[in-house]
Amino acid sequence: MTGQTAPAQPAGPSISVDVPAKINPHLGVGDPRADGYHALSTVYQAISLHDTVSAERLSTAEGSEGPGIRLTLSGEGAGTLPTDEANLAYQAAKLVALYAGIEPDVRLHVNKRIPVAGGLAGGSADAAGALIACARLWEVPIGDAELHRLAAGLGSDVPFCLKGGTAIGAGRGEELTPVAAKGSWHWVVATTDTQISTPECYKEVDRLREDGIGRFSSDVDAIVQAFEGGASADELARLLVNDMEAAAVSLRPQLASLMHGGLAEGALAAHVSGSGPTVLFLAHDVKHAVALARRIRMRGGARSVHLAHGPVEGPAA
Ligand code: C5P
C-alpha cells in the first residue's frame, strides 16, 4: 500500500456539436388535437445563434460511482436550469442509450448562448445536440429515420433542430419538408426579462380563439416561394406570420412597446419568435442590422440584443 490513488484514466475523445436556434417566419396554429397538441402549419428556419453540446466518456474515477449521465451547463440559464432528468439534453442521452441497449456513460456539457424559454427552441437544440453527440460517442449505428423518431419523442421542435436550414413543419411540427431557400436574411434578436412557457402560450391562443380573436394561418405557399425565389427582405417582411403573437403580447403586454420601438427605429418587420417573448426585427442587410441593433439597445426595453442571419445548416448537415 503506497497511499497513492491510481490516476484517473483519460476520458477519451470529446465530441462537440453546434446546434442553431430556430425561428418560425410562418407559424400557423390550428385547433388542439385529441392528444392535446395543436396542429401546426409552420416554416422553420435555423439562425446563426447556437448552443454547443459536448460529450465525452466519464473518467474512471467518475465511473466508479457507476455509469451514468453527468450534465453541466454554462452560459445562458446556467445555475437556473435543471441538470438532471428534467433537462431535455439529459433525456436525449438516456434515450440513445436505451435505443442502443447500453448503460449510459457520458459527461455532457452544454454551453448555452440561445436565450432560455424565449421561443428560439434552445432546449430542443440541446436535445438534438445530445442525440447526435451521444450516438457518435457510443458509436451507435442509427439512421436518419430512427434519429428523427427519437427526436420527435423528445419534443415537437427537436426534429427540425437536427436538420437546420429551412423546412415546412406539419403535424405538431415534427413532420418536415425541406425548403431550398436561396439567400440569407438578417435579423436583430431582442430578448426580454420575462419568459413564456410554450404550453402557457398555446393555452392563451385557445382562450383568445374562444373570444373570436385569431385564426389558423394554414397556407405557407407564399412564404415558401419567397424563400425559394430569394425574396428581398422587404418582400419577406410582408409575409411573416405568427398566430401566437397576439397570445404572447396578451401574456406579456410589454412586448408591444418593444416591437413598436424597433419599427420606429427602422426595422422592416417586428415578429415574435415562436411562443415568445423574444422579438425578431428584420433588417435589409447586415449593415442595417448592425445599426438597428445599436438603436434598439439604446432605446432600452430589451434584456439583450443579438445579430443573427439565416438560414444556417443544422448539426447533422
Ligand atoms: O412538443 P413539446 O414538448 O415541445 O411541447 C411542449 C408543449 O407545448 C406541449 O405539451 C403542448 O402543451 C404544447 N404544444 C402544442 N402543440 C404543438 C406543440 C406544442 O400544444 N404543436
Side-chain angles (χ1 to χ4, degrees):
M1 179 116 182
T2 62
Q4 288 182 332
T5 49
Q9 291 292 308
S14 174
I15 311 278
S16 193
V17 182
D18 288 342
V19 195
K22 65 86 191 154
I23 61 174
N24 303 81
H26 181 108
L27 180 50
V29 179
D31 289 332
R33 314 186 307 194
D35 63 4
Y37 285 91
H38 292 69
L40 292 191
S41 181
T42 187
V43 175
Y44 289 107
Q45 189 159 89
I47 58 166
S48 58
L49 270 180
H50 65 270
D51 284 356
T52 303
V53 181
S54 340
E56 59 187 28
R57 286 188 185 267
L58 293 166
S59 65
T60 310
E62 291 168 304
S64 65
E65 296 161 32
I69 301 165
R70 313 271 191 278
L71 172 63
T72 51
L73 305 172
S74 56
E76 289 270 340
T80 54
L81 291 171
T83 53
D84 59 9
E85 193 103 24
N87 191 302
L88 221 47
Y90 189 109
Q91 290 172 33
K94 201 170 159 189
L95 204 56
V96 175
L98 197 68
Y99 171 83
I102 58 173
E103 282 295 324
D105 165 25
V106 65
R107 162 173 297 289
L108 273 179
H109 181 76
V110 185
N111 185 17
K112 294 189 64 65
R113 295 181 202 84
I114 304 173
V116 174
L120 293 163
S124 302
D126 300 346
L131 284 178
I132 294 173
C134 290
R136 284 189 196 153
L137 183 74
W138 297 328
E139 298 177 357
V140 178
I142 182 165
D144 270 4
E146 277 306 294
L147 204 55
H148 180 280
R149 191 180 62 76
L150 297 189
L154 289 163
S156 308
D157 292 336
V158 184
F160 176 74
C161 290
L162 283 176
K163 291 281 169 205
T166 307
I168 299 168
R172 61 182 168 89
E174 86 288 19
E175 292 169 19
L176 300 174
T177 309
V179 171
K182 275 200 212 102
S184 188
W185 293 269
H186 293 268
W187 302 90
V188 174
V189 180
T191 70
T192 71
D193 281 330
T194 61
Q195 300 184 342
I196 299 180
S197 90
T198 308
E200 185 191 6
C201 200
Y202 276 106
K203 280 202 196 91
E204 187 65 6
V205 170
D206 296 341
R207 200 188 63 77
L208 291 175
R209 295 250 166 109
E210 277 166 21
D211 292 345
I213 300 167
R215 55 170 198 90
F216 182 18
S217 309
S218 57
D219 189 351
V220 297
D221 289 353
I223 197 161
V224 167
Q225 280 164 20
F227 281 127
E228 287 173 341
S232 69
D234 278 310
E235 287 169 84
L236 181 63
R238 289 191 288 276
L239 296 170
L240 298 172
V241 168
N242 185 353
D243 289 352
M244 298 191 95
E245 195 158 286
V249 174
S250 158
L251 292 170
R252 303 288 183 271
Q254 64 269 41
L255 287 185
S257 63
L258 178 60
M259 294 170 81
H260 288 136
L263 290 170
E265 296 295 353
L268 304 181
H271 182 73
V272 169
S273 186
S275 54
T278 298
V279 178
L280 306 165
F281 296 101
L282 185 60
H284 283 291
D285 50 30
V286 67
K287 198 166 157 234
H288 182 214
V290 170
L292 188 59
R294 193 181 313 122
R295 290 199 290 267
I296 291 170
R297 248 181 234 122
M298 281 169 62
R299 262 186 112 91
R303 183 170 70 88
S304 62
V305 178
H306 311 258
L307 292 173
H309 60 89
V312 297
E313 285 189 348

